[in-house]
Amino acid sequence: MSPLRSMFSGGRLASLIDDHSLLAAMLRFEAGLAIAQAGCGVIDASAARVIAAVCERLAAQPQALDDALDTGSLGEAARHAGTLAIPFVARLTRAVAGEDARAAGFVHLGATSQDVVDTATMLQARAAAAALDDELLQLGDALAALAQAHRATPITGRTLLQAAVPVSFGWKAAGWLDQLSRARSLLARTVDEQAVLQFGGAAGTLASLGDAAPRVARALASELSLPLPATSWHSARDRIARIGTELAMTTGACARIGRDVSLMMQTEVGEVFEPAAEGRGGSSAMPHKRNPVGSMLALEAALRTPSLAATLMGSLVSEHERGLGSWQHAAFVLADLFAAAASAAGAMLEVVRGLRVDTRAMHDNLARGAGFVHAEKISHALSASLGREAAQARVAQACQRAARDGIALRQALAADPVVGQTLDAARLDSLFDPSENLQAAAMMLDAVLAQWQASRLERRPGG
Amino acid sequence: MSPLRSMFSGGRLASLIDDHSLLAAMLRFEAGLAIAQAGCGVIDASAARVIAAVCERLAAQPQALDDALDTGSLGEAARHAGTLAIPFVARLTRAVAGEDARAAGFVHLGATSQDVVDTATMLQARAAAAALDDELLQLGDALAALAQAHRATPITGRTLLQAAVPVSFGWKAAGWLDQLSRARSLLARTVDEQAVLQFGGAAGTLASLGDAAPRVARALASELSLPLPATSWHSARDRIARIGTELAMTTGACARIGRDVSLMMQTEVGEVFEPAAEGRGGSSAMPHKRNPVGSMLALEAALRTPSLAATLMGSLVSEHERGLGSWQHAAFVLADLFAAAASAAGAMLEVVRGLRVDTRAMHDNLARGAGFVHAEKISHALSASLGREAAQARVAQACQRAARDGIALRQALAADPVVGQTLDAARLDSLFDPSENLQAAAMMLDAVLAQWQASRLERRPGG
Amino acid sequence: MSPLRSMFSGGRLASLIDDHSLLAAMLRFEAGLAIAQAGCGVIDASAARVIAAVCERLAAQPQALDDALDTGSLGEAARHAGTLAIPFVARLTRAVAGEDARAAGFVHLGATSQDVVDTATMLQARAAAAALDDELLQLGDALAALAQAHRATPITGRTLLQAAVPVSFGWKAAGWLDQLSRARSLLARTVDEQAVLQFGGAAGTLASLGDAAPRVARALASELSLPLPATSWHSARDRIARIGTELAMTTGACARIGRDVSLMMQTEVGEVFEPAAEGRGGSSAMPHKRNPVGSMLALEAALRTPSLAATLMGSLVSEHERGLGSWQHAAFVLADLFAAAASAAGAMLEVVRGLRVDTRAMHDNLARGAGFVHAEKISHALSASLGREAAQARVAQACQRAARDGIALRQALAADPVVGQTLDAARLDSLFDPSENLQAAAMMLDAVLAQWQASRLERRPGG
Amino acid sequence: MSPLRSMFSGGRLASLIDDHSLLAAMLRFEAGLAIAQAGCGVIDASAARVIAAVCERLAAQPQALDDALDTGSLGEAARHAGTLAIPFVARLTRAVAGEDARAAGFVHLGATSQDVVDTATMLQARAAAAALDDELLQLGDALAALAQAHRATPITGRTLLQAAVPVSFGWKAAGWLDQLSRARSLLARTVDEQAVLQFGGAAGTLASLGDAAPRVARALASELSLPLPATSWHSARDRIARIGTELAMTTGACARIGRDVSLMMQTEVGEVFEPAAEGRGGSSAMPHKRNPVGSMLALEAALRTPSLAATLMGSLVSEHERGLGSWQHAAFVLADLFAAAASAAGAMLEVVRGLRVDTRAMHDNLARGAGFVHAEKISHALSASLGREAAQARVAQACQRAARDGIALRQALAADPVVGQTLDAARLDSLFDPSENLQAAAMMLDAVLAQWQASRLERRPGG
């Protein structure tokens, strides 16, 4: 990630998906492979110890890693070789040889380039997913608190960007939580199921390991704490693509909140405000501006993630036992998806936690337009006697009269004798109360909160 | 689906996702709503019976449906209204009024446009997913049979489109099955979890139904055999998007088989052939041509599905209580994804079932190139004594000598005394046997077959 | 296009991109080919006359076409054959044979499937582009009129969805026009340059026509009024992809207007309104609602077109002399792009033409927020003496004071002696005039209008 | 670009699109703005000279730039502010203040964040496009040389991955060149037309500059050697999207060559080979492997670019006078597209220049399959007498007989008396000559070469 691009990346998570973390995960693979093979009697135990020690040392010390692998030139060497694994293994072998020339002969034995790259990608994915899950958990909790706090706060429900009927702000927040909760649970499940060991050797059959192959594979999976799948899957790119699509779903769940917040924060609406902080969301030209920058960050991420996920889905059409061009970029595309999701989640966590809610403005906006937001309830109340179409026609007429004469809808309805015969004044008044008829909304809100609480306790990815 | 476009659609499934099936599902919603409301005492039971009877009659009789709803003009009317539901409900109301004017007053009561459209989309999705599952089950069985039949058939393993090492054709087919099996199971699970009732009324809170709302919602879900979610979800588009991405995964799993089959069917490779039939895969200009048209159909579908799924993922950024433009096309985009997946699955089912396998050609292709496909195994066998790098260098040298002098690799290795000291002639001969070292492959194959058999018994979507 | 899907398609244009129009274009190709070959002495002139006559008759009479080609079963037959062209040519040949058995022997001679399908796609593209251009011309004219009419109407300029500084509504409309004008011109140019004859025979070399090939190609191009490219291009899918991306640009240009209009039409903003008409933009649940359905139509189209264009761009990676799966759907994907662009353009034409503008609301919205929209101008006016940063700090302070004390920014500034020393009261007053400093905007507006007028006169696509 | 990701990026071009180059371009904007404003009498000339000198010094000295702007923390600061421009301008202002406190007051005067970011993006685009054009020019020349050298080299034409009819390898290369030439010309034209100055101030109207606005805009455009558009375009994202789609077209044109080369390099085909070099395209597991890594690099790029371009097309739907989330990532997405195109072009330049062509293998592959590749010519030759359908049936029969009896097609045809009556033995022999009937191909080849030569002389982007 370049320094400038970190603008669109989640802070803490960035270090789990960068170059260094990928190389460290590749080192973990090579260390695990040596130990597993030694455990199965395939290679010498002392050689394996040396390999593992070198790998662990490099993985733990960024400077040593950069020196030993000459990170700065790895990309170019990988371009020349056609795979990152070749120069990586060559340089690691040299580093091991520096300690023990014989041990160097057993580095990467029986594995192929894609084994180390795909497995490292999955190790990265587990670590990144666990960190992202922390953010999502906090975001979910913040949304749950918001929903709870505003369960009885009336606000204009808006459909197709037009005022529709009153809802509660808490129910609205519960809707955000419902989607986010689904995203969190399914991302965790997907990573648990799909981030598994890749180990197949030259073409996927582990041929060179002979009889020892199944034992080595089991030992390696155990060493890396990764599930062992039924078969090598290097040509089956759906596992990575599925993690990618769930990251797009997570990003989208955050961005939907951002869209709503930014619309409610419009100067003419003014119902909620992103948290203020020195220098946050300012304008280089307008000193008074307070921009919804958290929402912006979530939205920009969500505009990129569907396409990134499409790239991964496009890679499913592979060739034979190792595709040509279809999988080579997967680690980077997946990292971009994690970065985008973390950026969106981090931004919205800050927004939701610090959200300033103006319930007065919500109330005032409900009162606009002569009370038209209550039309649907009135129409429904009339339907029982008049039937749906007649009731709607009656209310529509009253709306038109109110708009034409500049009077309140309540007043226009009072003038209609048919309405008067059906609904008495007290019932009519109650229908103009925005808190009226939010029982079902409250039940939905409670159901979402209960579901969230239950899901909070579930096992976390990578855990 | 236009007649010409049915070229790229699965035959049987097409009728489950077309205009008529969408309207029939909308009618099921309206019937279910009336019955549910009558059951909860919200509307008159006899009115509900009339509504339900009209809906059922229209849904069952295409001609009656076209007449009553004037299908030909529905699209234009929907364009004018901004939603299909408005003219649909208006015309249905007229049809009900033709039977019972009073009952007409209770059509669609308390529901909103998106309730009927989203729920109908989910009903369609369940039916289409069940039909698609049938195809996938048959395709999986055909792949399992192929894997079983060729568990010991050697074939060239190819990486980056180059001959690499010998594998078995059965193991290769098991790899196809493994991915397809995952696609089938996860599509079924996704539809089961995500295809749920949408019922929220004007803005999602079911406000107009008052206290009866939860009961009506439960009754409606039961009536339609759809799960009832914690809250209305019309602004949370991830449910539909997730079904869409799984359809893209399914299509990709089929297309990967198509890519491999078409590459193996190349004139210069000639290892497998799509089934022949009068007029199948001919050329308008070349009488001798036999084209891999099944593979083509799977590939064309897989080139469209990632983008279609991206469109659905892009719709996650919605606005407030009903988005503007983000969800309106969802039923059609999802139908296109179902059509593509069914086209790919149907095409590959025909291909795999009728696949002609030329094991002789597989054998001959393995023998090309002086036996280089055995180099990796030999190199690995030498590694135990020489270390990985030295062993690889030795074998590389022998390969170069063989290429330069036009001799077999076996012969070139025989001339190297170091090799001779490490591996005796019998061991060297055995390493040139393509069936050697396929034990791990056989175990993978068996594990995949076992997993498939287990998953076959699982509950099916919509079932 | 299914009846329901016509909801998202442009009315008039739909008939230019449907099944029938594709078949008619294919017939035009076959007629042109026969005539061209006869003119070059390759086939008998009387046979060519018969072929051309049959083609022309079928193309002109939908019922005859359906009968002769059995349209209803063409899709399935094409699926079996792997290409639409094979059953099409077979059935056309039968139809010709019905008139003259000998002539039937010369149908489609020397051409291949892709020649007729790709060329027909290009003929369709030219006709559809011409029709779309008509809509875009009218939309541009409507935007030009709107810009002209409101060149001096102040409105709040909004950045990141926050009120920023005053602009004029005319200038805003000119910005819409500028982008639309670019879309119109570049779509026309792209179609002119890229919609060319495809004629290559079996593999693209026109081998079977021998010496006559170049003459036949020239004659065919002339017959179809299509440019003749340097070489056959059936494996170079960029031509179609470029038309596709320009259609996405056109759709996006329309949808941007739709986004702005729908935001300005929000209940709390109320500055513009889509035209009202009986049943237009109503709600099935809320009788008072007036939804921005034109904007919705443009927005839904723009959410699909980038992905559709991506599918076409993805088809650039083809194989050898005819790709497997990459191009076969091109005619349909391009048709979907034309339909989406026409839907968006048609919807926005209706919206812009009938747009109701509430200049009073624009004025009122400008007055919100204590006059903060004027802060940037004041800050700039102070910069000359104080420097940018000090000026901004000063104005920011005044904004804070105004917000805190509930007074107008004008008043808060008056209380600051530094401001008083720099700007006298009259100058300060003038800075609070929203029409102040819109000279540059007016010049931009005029430049856009002039560019539009110039581009109106350019040659039109297909013309 | 991270070190590892440089694997998928073009070497020389990388430095034109990285963080540093973006900041340098932003500095050029600020320098140009100060000078333009001084020239128009808006700010003090000596202040402008100081600003320009600081900007130029920082742009020229990477270390000074990193120090002054604290690049490492810029991303985080930009995330906090919501735009890169705010911390950039603040830090630049500090740097200028270090030289001349008064001059610092005039930095960025009258401009807004998006002015500097969008204009810098366009400056980067021009420089990157010019560098990419160099590569494309060389690649085109290499393709032209290949086409010329092999104008008479017969090779199997392949359709749908099946041998079809003979073509020449030179003609095939000319087809690659034709598409590449179009990509090169249209990318250059698009950059020339669309990479223009963005200068609008707070909301796009340049309000704060008053009467001086048009003069300053003209002077700034001239200072930066960028065209001045009719109006500010910061909300019209089509300009950047169009450059992006052309980069996808360029990448696709390269990847198509890569697909064909990799298919022809398959072990079983062996017609061409990517250049060999120590360590190039090796395998970590198989010492004999020579992988098509250049083709792989082009293909991986082409799998990402349609989606990246789709992201840019998706940004067309913006909001009002500055979008929320839609444009903020544009510079980075465009940089990724340039990197991908440069990676693909650089990889294929190396491949085409060093391509090893095995004409013997081409000849041998043509001879496979009993001579079926000649069937179409024979069928056409018979058509003149027998009609197309009868001729095709006759040849198909001969093909079947040849396949059944294991004889050559020539022999099977000799046994058919009807064929003998129509074509004498000499004519039949000539039809089995693969060079026969390639006249039209040669003319196409020459036309493509002529077009290339003409286009080489055209003005270059950024030039």
Side-chain angles (χ1 to χ4, degrees), chain D residues 130-359:
Chain D
L132 180 54
D133 188 80
D134 281 344
E135 299 268 308
L136 298 174
L137 181 62
Q138 293 178 64
L139 177 53
D141 283 346
L143 289 169
L146 191 68
Q148 192 63 270
H150 290 283
R151 59 161 56 237
T153 305
I155 190 176
T156 309
R158 296 170 174 104
T159 59
L160 305 179
L161 288 179
Q162 293 290 304
V165 299
V167 302
S168 79
F169 181 46
W171 172 83
K172 187 178 179 96
W176 297 338
L177 174 60
D178 178 55
Q179 184 173 354
L180 185 93
S181 172
R182 208 149 48 232
R184 177 177 172 256
S185 294
L186 295 182
L187 175 60
R189 186 169 76 183
T190 300
V191 170
D192 268 348
E193 293 176 355
Q194 304 302 338
V196 301
L197 178 70
Q198 160 56 26
F199 186 47
T205 60
L206 287 174
S208 67
L209 288 174
D211 288 338
R215 276 176 296 129
V216 172
R218 266 196 306 275
L220 176 53
S222 156
E223 199 60 40
L224 298 175
S225 302
L226 287 176
L228 179 66
T231 185
S232 57
W233 54 270
H234 50 307
S235 287
R237 309 309 298 172
D238 62 299
R239 292 183 181 276
I240 286 179
R242 279 194 173 88
I243 299 175
T245 55
E246 278 303 329
L247 289 166
M249 300 296 174
T250 300
T251 310
C254 295
R256 177 192 160 201
I257 308 173
R259 179 84 100 199
D260 280 0
V261 165
S262 60
L263 289 172
M264 296 162 81
M265 190 173 153
Q266 288 173 102
T267 309
E268 296 84 359
V269 180
E271 294 176 342
V272 301
F273 299 89
E274 291 202 2
E278 180 60 30
R280 189 177 189 283
S283 158
S284 73
M286 289 158 285
H288 66 289
K289 279 285 287 292
R290 176 104 2 251
N291 290 317
V293 297
S295 299
M296 181 274 281
L297 291 169
L299 287 164
E300 84 75 25
L303 284 165
R304 290 184 293 121
T305 47
S307 287
L308 290 168
T311 295
L312 291 181
M313 286 188 281
S315 70
L316 265 66
V317 180
S318 189
E319 290 92 18
H320 293 313
E321 280 63 66
R322 184 169 344 285
L324 190 74
S326 49
W327 66 275
Q328 279 84 355
H329 48 235
F332 300 131
V333 177
L334 194 64
D336 285 346
L337 280 157
F338 268 113
S343 176
M348 292 321 295
L349 175 56
E350 200 177 331
V351 168
V352 174
R353 270 196 183 151
L355 197 72
R356 187 158 69 75
V357 179
D358 186 338
T359 57

Side-chain angles (χ1 to χ4, degrees), chain B residues 54-289:
Chain B
V54 170
C55 288
E56 279 153 28
R57 181 170 52 81
L58 298 186
Q61 300 174 13
Q63 191 54 56
L65 185 150
D66 278 349
D67 291 347
L69 302 183
D70 190 9
T71 316
S73 75
L74 254 183
E76 202 179 342
R79 184 174 173 84
H80 184 69
T83 164
L84 175 56
I86 289 183
F88 166 82
V89 169
R91 293 167 192 202
L92 173 60
T93 302
R94 265 206 304 277
V96 172
E99 310 253 325
D100 178 343
R102 193 179 132 68
F106 300 107
V107 170
H108 192 65
L109 201 71
T112 194
S113 297
Q114 201 173 354
D115 291 341
V116 56
V117 173
D118 273 347
T119 299
T121 302
M122 289 312 201
L123 288 168
Q124 267 194 316
R126 286 198 171 246
L132 179 55
D133 189 79
D134 281 344
E135 299 267 309
L136 297 174
L137 182 63
Q138 293 179 63
L139 177 53
D141 283 345
L143 288 169
L146 190 68
Q148 192 63 271
H150 290 282
R151 59 161 54 238
T153 306
I155 189 175
T156 308
R158 296 169 174 105
T159 60
L160 306 179
L161 288 180
Q162 293 289 305
V165 300
V167 301
S168 78
F169 182 47
W171 171 84
K172 188 179 178 95
W176 297 338
L177 173 60
D178 177 56
Q179 183 173 353
L180 186 93
S181 171
R182 210 151 46 234
R184 176 175 172 258
S185 294
L186 295 182
L187 175 60
R189 185 170 76 183
T190 301
V191 170
D192 268 348
E193 293 177 356
Q194 304 302 338
V196 302
L197 178 70
Q198 161 56 27
F199 184 48
T205 60
L206 288 173
S208 65
L209 288 173
D211 289 336
R215 277 176 296 130
V216 172
R218 267 195 306 275
L220 177 53
S222 157
E223 199 61 41
L224 299 176
S225 302
L226 286 176
L228 179 67
T231 185
S232 57
W233 53 270
H234 50 307
S235 287
R237 310 307 299 171
D238 61 299
R239 291 183 182 276
I240 286 179
R242 279 194 174 88
I243 300 175
T245 56
E246 279 304 329
L247 289 166
M249 300 296 173
T250 300
T251 311
C254 295
R256 177 191 160 201
I257 308 172
R259 179 85 98 199
D260 280 359
V261 166
S262 60
L263 288 171
M264 296 162 82
M265 191 172 154
Q266 289 172 101
T267 309
E268 297 84 0
V269 181
E271 294 176 342
V272 302
F273 300 89
E274 293 202 359
E278 179 61 30
R280 191 177 187 281
S283 159
S284 73
M286 290 158 285
H288 66 289
K289 278 286 286 292

Side-chain angles (χ1 to χ4, degrees), chain D residues 41-59:
Chain D
V42 174
I43 70 168
D44 185 74
S46 67
R49 276 195 298 272
V50 174
I51 294 170
V54 170
C55 289
E56 278 153 28
R57 181 168 54 80
L58 297 185

